[in-house]
Amino acid sequence: MEPGGAAPPAAEEDDLGYRLFPDRNKKPQSFLVRSFFTFHNRCQLMLRMTLATNPYAQLLLEAMKQSGCTVFNDRHFSCEDCDSCVSGGFDSATSQIVLCQNNIRHQSHMNRVVTHELIHAFDHCRAHVDWFKNVKHLACSEIRAANLSGDCTLMNEIARFKFGLKGHHQTCVRDRAIRSILAVRKVSKETAEKAVDEVFDACFNDLEPFGRIPHSKTDAKRAYRDFQNRDRYNANL
């Protein structure tokens, strides 16, 4: 699970999920100190590989650039230790994606986490998302992230020992969106379910910037190519 909206520091009674990202409060370590931590180095290497080769991430980076929100590796990504229940988060207060270096163990996982959080970042760039006070806004972005990031591909679901028939993808998206909300917001399961259900159809069918649900890397490559061609077409109008 990669819930979005890592929250800024808040009073203890205002539980906005910040507890899951303890390194957000710490003074940044020097490069020399961080260089001795294998988790941090591995995280940085996998991140660079994702940004350079993953079509999901490449499309989102291009779309954000066109929307006026260029993403820079050193500025907008941070490899940190997190609570064991999360793999990443989007900190809207700093426009920064948190990658949980202690929980992301392999490249395919990094690809999904970066894509998931870049969808939150894209939503933050293009819309006035109220991450902390409007649970429907959070629900919408979580639905889109689960739907478009590859979280619910057939292979990933089989790896979780979940097998379904018709409508299984939608069920997976709904379940993961609810789980993400519950991980970062102190709300009841009923509240999370209600928020997801109320916006599900509209947000599930919002496929920007992919234009389709990318069920595989091949689909993502096609979507990226179509996005680039759409750009060229618009430029010639």
Side-chain angles (χ1 to χ4, degrees):
M1 174 171 36
E2 296 83 36
E12 187 174 346
E13 63 271 16
D14 296 325
D15 187 352
L16 298 176
Y18 194 78
R19 70 197 182 285
L20 303 176
F21 305 92
D23 281 2
R24 295 274 84 192
N25 275 326
K26 294 180 180 178
K27 182 179 179 181
Q29 294 174 318
S30 69
F31 173 80
L32 184 62
V33 172
R34 285 188 286 112
S35 67
F36 289 105
F37 289 86
T38 304
F39 280 171
H40 189 83
N41 287 343
R42 183 178 63 185
C43 177
Q44 289 285 349
L45 288 172
M46 288 193 294
L47 170 61
R48 285 197 288 272
M49 179 66 73
T50 295
L51 299 182
T53 66
N54 185 261
Y56 291 84
Q58 290 173 326
L59 192 160
L60 286 159
L61 291 171
E62 183 66 26
M64 289 191 66
K65 183 178 180 180
Q66 289 190 22
S67 297
C69 301
T70 301
V71 176
F72 298 99
N73 187 346
D74 293 339
R75 162 66 181 86
H76 294 107
F77 292 94
S78 180
C79 290
E80 302 175 8
D81 286 337
C82 310
D83 186 276
S84 61
C85 74
V86 291
S87 299
F90 175 64
D91 186 348
S92 60
T94 59
S95 296
Q96 194 168 49
I97 289 172
V98 182
L99 301 171
C100 299
Q101 61 194 18
N102 54 319
N103 297 329
I104 301 174
R105 305 284 170 79
H106 49 83
Q107 188 64 51
S108 61
H109 191 191
M110 175 64 79
N111 292 343
R112 291 199 309 275
V113 174
V114 169
T115 301
H116 185 112
E117 302 308 335
L118 277 173
I119 291 169
H120 291 320
F122 176 77
D123 288 346
H124 185 70
C125 174
R126 69 170 181 158
H128 298 291
V129 182
D130 188 347
W131 297 102
F132 307 124
K133 294 181 180 179
N134 192 325
V135 69
K136 288 184 183 180
H137 286 192
L138 174 61
C140 187
S141 193
E142 291 295 356
I143 290 165
R144 282 176 31 76
N147 189 29
L148 300 174
S149 67
D151 287 348
C152 289
T153 61
L154 178 62
M155 293 308 297
N156 284 333
E157 283 292 270
I158 290 175
R160 299 177 189 122
F161 300 102
K162 292 186 177 180
F163 309 92
L165 300 174
K166 186 177 180 180
H168 181 71
H169 179 77
Q170 288 91 331
T171 299
C172 171
V173 169
R174 179 181 182 276
D175 290 348
R176 292 184 70 80
I178 291 169
R179 286 177 56 195
S180 292
I181 293 171
L182 292 175
V184 298
R185 295 292 178 270
K186 194 174 182 180
V187 298
S188 68
K189 185 176 181 181
E190 291 73 20
T191 297
E193 289 175 341
K194 185 173 185 288
V196 168
D197 289 341
E198 287 183 353
V199 302
F200 190 85
D201 288 344
C203 299
F204 183 85
N205 290 308
D206 180 0
L207 305 179
E208 284 299 313
F210 290 90
R212 68 184 78 191
I213 299 175
H215 291 289
S216 66
K217 188 175 284 189
T218 300
D219 283 347
K221 287 179 180 178
R222 291 195 187 105
Y224 186 27
R225 184 171 62 248
D226 289 347
F227 183 85
Q228 292 174 311
N229 289 337
R230 179 174 65 181
D231 250 11
R232 297 189 185 101
Y233 172 77
N234 290 338
N236 291 326
L237 290 180

